[in-house]
Amino acid sequence: MDRRSFLKSSSLIAGGLALNSVINQAVAQNKSPFIIDEKHPLLLNFNENSLGMSANAKQAIIAALPGSFRYPDDARSELITHLGELYRLSDKHVTIGNGSSETIQATVAMLANKARKNNLKIQLVTPDPTFNYAELYSLPLGIEITKVPLKSDLSFDLDKMEQLANDFNGLTIIYICNPNNPTAMITPHSQLNKWMTKVSDKQFFIVDEAYAELVEDPNFVSAIELVKQGQNNLIVTRTFSKIFALAGLRVGYGIASPDVIATVDEFVSIDNTNTAGAIAAIASLNDKPFIAYSLKSNNLSRKIVEKALDELNLEYAPSQANFIFHKVKGDVKTYKQRMADAHIMVGREFPPAVGWNRLTLGTPEEMEQFVVVLKQFREKGWV
């Protein structure tokens, strides 16, 4: 299915056309046979973008290959400049990482070093469940880790997190994943800003916005806006792994004040960006039609799954990312194994949110196939 026909068909949803007819049209226009078997499993478990990178990014990589015997300094610098211009900030507000995970790791290491130099205790306050890399990077550094369970509606307990930070006699790292992984829910900026704008030299925020480009809820406002206002106790991390579909090329970045970036960069590896990744990232940023295509594909896939979950009366969290967190009747591990037996890989369980499963949104055609299997599971009494 080509990009133009897809955008045309998906836009009809807003005009009131029945969802089923749009889905059927999409499936009918897919000329390639769709096969799910042991050699071709449906991978809906790691929040990857099944569309693959844009054609422009592929061509940019091919064009750059003859120069790949050179170190990636020029490509890396060009990417930093593009990102600075994107957010109307200087190059000094940007750090590049081997995925956003390296930026998180470097920030945690920088803060641990700061605490050591100042003879301060240090803790990480993090929601639970959430993306756990900040926690994993804190463990070998001896950072005290305090997990705050999500509230009954799966939202962050920001009041409890703030209280823990305020009561701690030392330096606190606060990790905020927005939208959160695994729930796919946003935390409205009005709630976050009540705390984050209370600037403190004893509290530092890592705001992970890996899925920000997929958000359409106006209650979400990027924490990059606080960086623009000069706030100096946070870093915002982003990635090219999600909407841009470059997960395998490992390109991420952080946005913060120049002072913060300078100290974080002391802890990132030298030459941490490969030429192909940097060139593909630049091409992806410039490919506005692909970004729109990727977003519309994700939205249509979400509607397909939500419709099925509504029909089956299975509860799900409001998603603003490329995955859906939904309930499963029965044991989640058993459900996951049964899906694997059907050659569909779904996410794991995320305690303490027991009974929920994280499902990556693939292409609309892939999600149609998932729905068929899910409904078969209902017929068998498995969900």
Side-chain angles (χ1 to χ4, degrees), residues 153-156 158 176-181 183-192 211-212 214-221 317-321 323:
D153 63 356
L154 300 180
S155 65
F156 291 162
L158 293 178
I176 300 289
C177 188
N178 195 24
N180 188 32
N181 180 5
T183 66
M185 291 170 52
I186 65 161
T187 302
H189 77 281
S190 58
Q191 297 177 18
L192 278 175
Y211 303 93
L214 296 158
V215 178
E216 296 188 303
D217 189 325
N219 290 307
F220 172 88
V221 175
S319 171
Q320 287 289 314
F323 54 96

Side-chain angles (χ1 to χ4, degrees), residues 228-295:
K228 289 182 176 181
Q229 295 168 23
Q231 191 155 333
N232 205 39
N233 68 329
L234 82 154
I235 188 168
V236 184
T237 62
R238 291 208 175 185
T239 182
F240 284 89
S241 296
K242 307 307 176 183
I243 198 168
F244 300 108
L246 301 180
L249 292 177
R250 310 308 303 131
V251 188
Y253 60 98
I255 303 291
S257 71
D259 288 345
V260 170
I261 294 299
T263 54
V264 168
D265 276 346
E266 293 175 359
F267 292 87
V268 300
S269 59
I270 298 172
D271 286 332
N272 65 345
T273 310
N274 66 79
T275 299
I279 292 296
I282 294 167
S284 298
L285 285 174
N286 292 331
D287 194 345
K288 305 304 180 186
F290 174 78
I291 297 171
Y293 176 60
S294 190
L295 179 60

Side-chain angles (χ1 to χ4, degrees), residues 92-308:
K92 294 182 179 180
H93 287 84
V94 183
T95 180
I96 299 294
N98 182 12
S100 59
S101 54
E102 187 188 15
T103 304
I104 295 171
Q105 180 185 37
T107 303
V108 169
M110 177 272 288
L111 294 167
N113 186 60
K114 178 181 177 180
R116 180 186 60 80
K117 283 185 174 181
N118 292 282
N119 199 27
L120 292 172
K121 294 192 300 181
I122 184 170
Q123 70 166 347
L124 170 72
V125 173
T126 179
D128 190 26
T130 194
F131 188 64
N132 67 344
Y133 277 26
E135 176 188 348
L136 295 178
Y137 293 139
S138 295
L139 282 171
L141 299 176
I143 296 173
E144 182 180 330
I145 298 169
T146 304
K147 299 181 183 181
V148 180
L150 303 182
K151 295 194 289 187
S152 59
D153 63 356
L154 300 180
S155 65
F156 291 162
D157 192 343
L158 293 178
D159 290 340
K160 179 64 174 178
M161 293 174 67
E162 182 176 4
Q163 178 186 345
L164 288 166
N166 291 340
D167 292 346
F168 186 71
N169 184 25
L171 177 62
T172 298
I173 307 170
I174 302 104
Y175 175 76
I176 300 289
C177 188
N178 195 24
N180 188 32
N181 180 5
T183 66
M185 291 170 52
I186 65 161
T187 302
H189 77 281
S190 58
Q191 297 177 18
L192 278 175
N193 284 8
K194 287 181 181 178
W195 178 13
M196 292 179 62
T197 52
K198 300 174 185 176
V199 179
S200 168
D201 60 358
K202 296 294 181 65
Q203 297 179 16
F204 190 97
F205 294 87
I206 300 175
V207 183
D208 182 349
E209 294 183 351
Y211 303 93
E213 292 87 357
L214 296 158
V215 178
E216 296 188 303
D217 189 325
N219 290 307
F220 172 88
V221 175
S222 173
I224 292 174
E225 295 303 314
L226 294 179
V227 174
K228 289 182 176 181
Q229 295 168 23
Q231 191 155 333
N232 205 39
N233 68 329
L234 82 154
I235 188 168
V236 184
T237 62
R238 291 208 175 185
T239 182
F240 284 89
S241 296
K242 307 307 176 183
I243 198 168
F244 300 108
L246 301 180
L249 292 177
R250 310 308 303 131
V251 188
Y253 60 98
I255 303 291
S257 71
D259 288 345
V260 170
I261 294 299
T263 54
V264 168
D265 276 346
E266 293 175 359
F267 292 87
V268 300
S269 59
I270 298 172
D271 286 332
N272 65 345
T273 310
N274 66 79
T275 299
I279 292 296
I282 294 167
S284 298
L285 285 174
N286 292 331
D287 194 345
K288 305 304 180 186
F290 174 78
I291 297 171
Y293 176 60
S294 190
L295 179 60
K296 287 182 180 292
S297 174
N298 187 71
N299 288 347
L300 181 55
S301 292
R302 184 190 297 117
K303 290 179 185 294
I304 292 168
V305 175
E306 288 177 345
K307 181 175 182 289

Side-chain angles (χ1 to χ4, degrees), residues 347-366:
R348 62 178 176 84
E349 193 168 41
F350 288 82
V354 177
W356 294 79
N357 184 256
R358 189 191 70 185
L359 174 73
T360 298
L361 295 172
T363 66
E365 293 84 1
E366 288 175 334

